[in-house]
Amino acid sequence: MCGRFTLNQSAESLSKAFNLLQVPDLAAQYNIAPTQMVPTVLHQASKEQYEFQQLRWGLIPSWAKDAKMGVKLINARAETVSEKPAFRAAFKRRRCLVIADGFYEWQKLQNKKQPFYFRLQDEKPFGFAGLWDVWHSPEGEEIASCTIITTTANELLAPIHERMPVILAPEDYDLWLDTQVQAPEKLQPLLDPYPAEAMTAYPVANLVNKPQHNSPECIMPLSEENGLPNQLN
């Protein structure tokens, strides 16, 4: 699964990476957690240009009875995303990029779980494959929310966790965001694991276990003195 990620990039960097005309200055986020607002890129059918939008992490389908459903839908499995009732409509018409520059996964050890931080070798921002929807409460409240699609782990992640978030290659952004493309057979090939050789990872402190910890210390590597290697690759 993907339960935490980071984003510490300038507005200029994000505008260039995702072909956006307007990107607000964002505070550095070192421990983004479910139910928080997350930065995304959308391409709505009525608009020509991609747009930046903050969405709540945890998809609430438009037909949900209440917002609590979103807590359970922070991730969607690539293998079944086109079929599951909660995701299949969004998979056809409401796909997005969830902007990040790193993420965390936890390795199960004998008596604890060790967090690891993963990012690209070049440290550039990237887009998770995401879906979005808009839900209206009985009281008239409107919530726009999203989920992150996961796939099987690549060779770098496999020793840590069996799943990983889908990271899309920049050349695939246009196809993923194209609202005219709805056939699963055209989209499914984009949901493969990201190449392990383009990524790096290292163990970090347990600070990230609590969402209230949001500081650069969350992504600082543990040293060999702590009994763990500095990085996997």
Side-chain angles (χ1 to χ4, degrees), residues 89-141:
F91 185 70
K92 285 185 177 182
R93 304 178 185 89
R94 292 182 294 278
R95 299 182 299 274
C96 66
L97 302 174
V98 179
I99 304 173
D101 59 9
F103 63 95
Y104 302 94
E105 292 291 357
W106 281 257
Q107 182 182 39
K108 291 183 180 179
L109 302 176
Q110 286 186 344
N111 56 356
K112 67 173 184 176
K113 289 185 177 181
Q114 173 61 49
F116 282 75
Y117 183 60
F118 295 83
R119 60 169 174 78
L120 301 188
Q121 290 273 11
D122 60 15
E123 300 187 36
K124 291 183 179 180
F126 52 81
F128 292 132
L131 309 175
W132 66 280
D133 208 340
V134 177
W135 178 79
H136 295 87
S137 74
E139 297 74 32
E141 180 187 15

Side-chain angles (χ1 to χ4, degrees), residues 173-203:
Y173 291 169
D174 288 343
L175 177 57
W176 182 251
L177 294 175
D178 190 342
T179 56
Q180 301 302 312
V181 177
Q182 299 183 6
E185 59 269 21
K186 292 185 178 180
L187 299 167
Q188 206 68 41
L190 305 183
L191 305 182
D192 288 340
Y194 200 76
E197 62 272 15
M199 300 177 64
T200 188
Y202 52 82

Side-chain angles (χ1 to χ4, degrees), residues 158-174:
I160 308 302
H161 198 278
E162 63 182 7
R163 307 286 297 176
M164 68 176 293
V166 173
I167 300 174
L168 294 173
E171 58 267 27
D172 293 329
Y173 291 169
D174 288 343

Side-chain angles (χ1 to χ4, degrees), residues 5-21:
F5 65 95
T6 65
L7 183 62
N8 178 24
Q9 300 282 334
S10 67
E12 181 181 1
S13 172
L14 297 181
S15 177
K16 182 179 179 181
F18 298 99
N19 192 27
L20 295 166
L21 289 179

Side-chain angles (χ1 to χ4, degrees), residues 34-55:
T35 74
Q36 294 180 0
M37 301 301 290
V38 298
T40 69
V41 180
L42 308 182
H43 184 202
Q44 301 193 52
S46 59
K47 300 180 180 180
E48 294 183 3
Q49 184 68 33
Y50 293 162
E51 65 175 292
F52 175 93
Q53 188 169 333
Q54 295 267 18
L55 302 177

